[in-house]
PDB file of all heavy atoms in Angstrom:
ATOM      1  N   LEU A 260      56.933 -30.161 -14.909  1.00 98.00           N
ATOM      2  CA  LEU A 260      56.321 -30.993 -13.879  1.00 98.00           C
ATOM      3  C   LEU A 260      56.049 -32.404 -14.336  1.00 98.00           C
ATOM      4  O   LEU A 260      55.805 -33.387 -13.650  1.00 98.00           O
ATOM      5  CB  LEU A 260      55.021 -30.385 -13.409  1.00 98.00           C
ATOM      6  CG  LEU A 260      55.169 -29.179 -12.517  1.00 98.00           C
ATOM      7  CD1 LEU A 260      53.836 -28.419 -12.349  1.00 98.00           C
ATOM      8  CD2 LEU A 260      55.594 -29.627 -11.025  1.00 98.00           C
ATOM      9  N   ARG A 302      49.619 -16.684  -8.688  1.00 98.00           N
ATOM     10  CA  ARG A 302      48.887 -17.810  -7.951  1.00 98.00           C
ATOM     11  C   ARG A 302      48.657 -19.030  -8.972  1.00 98.00           C
ATOM     12  O   ARG A 302      48.568 -20.140  -8.473  1.00 98.00           O
ATOM     13  CB  ARG A 302      47.501 -17.272  -7.489  1.00 98.00           C
ATOM     14  CG  ARG A 302      47.727 -16.363  -6.279  1.00 98.00           C
ATOM     15  CD  ARG A 302      46.381 -16.134  -5.507  1.00 98.00           C
ATOM     16  NE  ARG A 302      45.480 -15.279  -6.269  1.00 98.00           N
ATOM     17  CZ  ARG A 302      45.384 -13.946  -6.180  1.00 98.00           C
ATOM     18  NH1 ARG A 302      46.271 -13.330  -5.400  1.00 98.00           N
ATOM     19  NH2 ARG A 302      44.544 -13.364  -6.922  1.00 98.00           N
ATOM     20  N   GLU A 303      48.453 -18.707 -10.215  1.00 98.00           N
ATOM     21  CA  GLU A 303      48.285 -19.839 -11.144  1.00 98.00           C
ATOM     22  C   GLU A 303      49.572 -20.757 -11.174  1.00 98.00           C
ATOM     23  O   GLU A 303      49.440 -21.924 -11.232  1.00 98.00           O
ATOM     24  CB  GLU A 303      48.029 -19.335 -12.584  1.00 98.00           C
ATOM     25  CG  GLU A 303      46.632 -18.772 -12.829  1.00 98.00           C
ATOM     26  CD  GLU A 303      46.404 -18.355 -14.286  1.00 98.00           C
ATOM     27  OE1 GLU A 303      46.955 -18.948 -15.160  1.00 98.00           O
ATOM     28  OE2 GLU A 303      45.733 -17.332 -14.459  1.00 98.00           O
ATOM     29  N   LEU A 304      50.716 -20.067 -11.113  1.00 98.00           N
ATOM     30  CA  LEU A 304      51.987 -20.784 -11.004  1.00 98.00           C
ATOM     31  C   LEU A 304      52.003 -21.691  -9.738  1.00 98.00           C
ATOM     32  O   LEU A 304      52.261 -22.910  -9.848  1.00 98.00           O
ATOM     33  CB  LEU A 304      53.161 -19.855 -11.026  1.00 98.00           C
ATOM     34  CG  LEU A 304      53.800 -19.414 -12.353  1.00 98.00           C
ATOM     35  CD1 LEU A 304      54.763 -18.326 -12.140  1.00 98.00           C
ATOM     36  CD2 LEU A 304      54.533 -20.642 -13.017  1.00 98.00           C
ATOM     37  N   CYS A 305      51.706 -21.109  -8.654  1.00 98.00           N
ATOM     38  CA  CYS A 305      51.728 -21.868  -7.410  1.00 98.00           C
ATOM     39  C   CYS A 305      50.687 -22.947  -7.398  1.00 98.00           C
ATOM     40  O   CYS A 305      50.955 -24.048  -6.848  1.00 98.00           O
ATOM     41  CB  CYS A 305      51.471 -20.839  -6.216  1.00 98.00           C
ATOM     42  SG  CYS A 305      52.750 -19.652  -6.005  1.00 98.00           S
ATOM     43  N   ALA A 306      49.544 -22.706  -8.027  1.00 98.00           N
ATOM     44  CA  ALA A 306      48.400 -23.628  -8.020  1.00 98.00           C
ATOM     45  C   ALA A 306      48.860 -24.945  -8.854  1.00 98.00           C
ATOM     46  O   ALA A 306      48.133 -26.007  -8.727  1.00 98.00           O
ATOM     47  CB  ALA A 306      47.175 -23.032  -8.552  1.00 98.00           C
ATOM     48  N   LEU A 307      49.853 -24.852  -9.667  1.00 98.00           N
ATOM     49  CA  LEU A 307      50.310 -26.106 -10.406  1.00 98.00           C
ATOM     50  C   LEU A 307      50.933 -27.085  -9.468  1.00 98.00           C
ATOM     51  O   LEU A 307      51.082 -28.226  -9.819  1.00 98.00           O
ATOM     52  CB  LEU A 307      51.370 -25.682 -11.416  1.00 98.00           C
ATOM     53  CG  LEU A 307      50.904 -24.714 -12.554  1.00 98.00           C
ATOM     54  CD1 LEU A 307      52.100 -24.302 -13.419  1.00 98.00           C
ATOM     55  CD2 LEU A 307      49.779 -25.409 -13.425  1.00 98.00           C
ATOM     56  N   GLY A 308      51.178 -26.648  -8.199  1.00 98.00           N
ATOM     57  CA  GLY A 308      51.829 -27.529  -7.260  1.00 98.00           C
ATOM     58  C   GLY A 308      53.171 -27.049  -6.820  1.00 98.00           C
ATOM     59  O   GLY A 308      53.933 -27.833  -6.142  1.00 98.00           O
ATOM     60  N   LEU A 309      53.492 -25.825  -7.172  1.00 98.00           N
ATOM     61  CA  LEU A 309      54.785 -25.272  -6.806  1.00 98.00           C
ATOM     62  C   LEU A 309      54.714 -24.647  -5.405  1.00 98.00           C
ATOM     63  O   LEU A 309      53.641 -24.007  -5.037  1.00 98.00           O
ATOM     64  CB  LEU A 309      55.277 -24.227  -7.858  1.00 98.00           C
ATOM     65  CG  LEU A 309      55.320 -24.648  -9.277  1.00 98.00           C
ATOM     66  CD1 LEU A 309      55.868 -23.619 -10.167  1.00 98.00           C
ATOM     67  CD2 LEU A 309      56.180 -25.870  -9.424  1.00 98.00           C
ATOM     68  N   THR A 310      55.772 -24.666  -4.667  1.00 98.00           N
ATOM     69  CA  THR A 310      55.808 -24.141  -3.336  1.00 98.00           C
ATOM     70  C   THR A 310      56.608 -22.854  -3.250  1.00 98.00           C
ATOM     71  O   THR A 310      57.723 -22.796  -3.829  1.00 98.00           O
ATOM     72  CB  THR A 310      56.489 -25.159  -2.350  1.00 98.00           C
ATOM     73  OG1 THR A 310      55.633 -26.310  -2.221  1.00 98.00           O
ATOM     74  CG2 THR A 310      56.694 -24.502  -0.948  1.00 98.00           C
ATOM     75  N   LEU A 346      59.283 -23.854  -6.004  1.00 98.00           N
ATOM     76  CA  LEU A 346      59.860 -25.200  -6.000  1.00 98.00           C
ATOM     77  C   LEU A 346      58.873 -26.204  -6.466  1.00 98.00           C
ATOM     78  O   LEU A 346      57.708 -26.222  -6.006  1.00 98.00           O
ATOM     79  CB  LEU A 346      60.337 -25.544  -4.622  1.00 98.00           C
ATOM     80  CG  LEU A 346      61.764 -25.034  -4.176  1.00 98.00           C
ATOM     81  CD1 LEU A 346      61.787 -23.517  -4.157  1.00 98.00           C
ATOM     82  CD2 LEU A 346      62.003 -25.570  -2.753  1.00 98.00           C
ATOM     83  N   SER A 347      59.317 -27.135  -7.279  1.00 98.00           N
ATOM     84  CA  SER A 347      58.507 -28.271  -7.643  1.00 98.00           C
ATOM     85  C   SER A 347      58.234 -29.085  -6.404  1.00 98.00           C
ATOM     86  O   SER A 347      58.974 -29.089  -5.396  1.00 98.00           O
ATOM     87  CB  SER A 347      59.173 -29.096  -8.767  1.00 98.00           C
ATOM     88  OG  SER A 347      60.305 -29.784  -8.275  1.00 98.00           O
ATOM     89  N   PRO A 348      57.259 -30.017  -6.455  1.00 98.00           N
ATOM     90  CA  PRO A 348      57.002 -30.891  -5.301  1.00 98.00           C
ATOM     91  C   PRO A 348      58.223 -31.714  -4.882  1.00 98.00           C
ATOM     92  O   PRO A 348      58.482 -31.806  -3.609  1.00 98.00           O
ATOM     93  CB  PRO A 348      55.845 -31.752  -5.768  1.00 98.00           C
ATOM     94  CG  PRO A 348      55.133 -31.004  -6.752  1.00 98.00           C
ATOM     95  CD  PRO A 348      56.185 -30.217  -7.490  1.00 98.00           C
ATOM     96  N   GLN A 349      59.002 -32.188  -5.870  1.00 97.00           N
ATOM     97  CA  GLN A 349      60.192 -32.974  -5.454  1.00 97.00           C
ATOM     98  C   GLN A 349      61.242 -32.110  -4.732  1.00 97.00           C
ATOM     99  O   GLN A 349      61.906 -32.493  -3.831  1.00 97.00           O
ATOM    100  CB  GLN A 349      60.851 -33.617  -6.673  1.00 97.00           C
ATOM    101  CG  GLN A 349      59.846 -34.621  -7.389  1.00 97.00           C
ATOM    102  CD  GLN A 349      59.185 -33.921  -8.603  1.00 97.00           C
ATOM    103  OE1 GLN A 349      58.806 -32.787  -8.490  1.00 97.00           O
ATOM    104  NE2 GLN A 349      59.165 -34.751  -9.643  1.00 97.00           N
ATOM    105  N   ALA A 351      60.525 -29.158  -3.183  1.00 98.00           N
ATOM    106  CA  ALA A 351      59.946 -28.716  -1.912  1.00 98.00           C
ATOM    107  C   ALA A 351      60.185 -29.717  -0.820  1.00 98.00           C
ATOM    108  O   ALA A 351      60.372 -29.367   0.400  1.00 98.00           O
ATOM    109  CB  ALA A 351      58.465 -28.426  -2.087  1.00 98.00           C
TER     110      ALA A 351
END
Side-chain angles (χ1 to χ4, degrees):
L260 285 164
R302 287 197 291 270
E303 285 184 37
L304 269 169
C305 295
L307 296 176
L309 304 183
T310 295
L346 279 58
S347 72
Q349 300 98 319

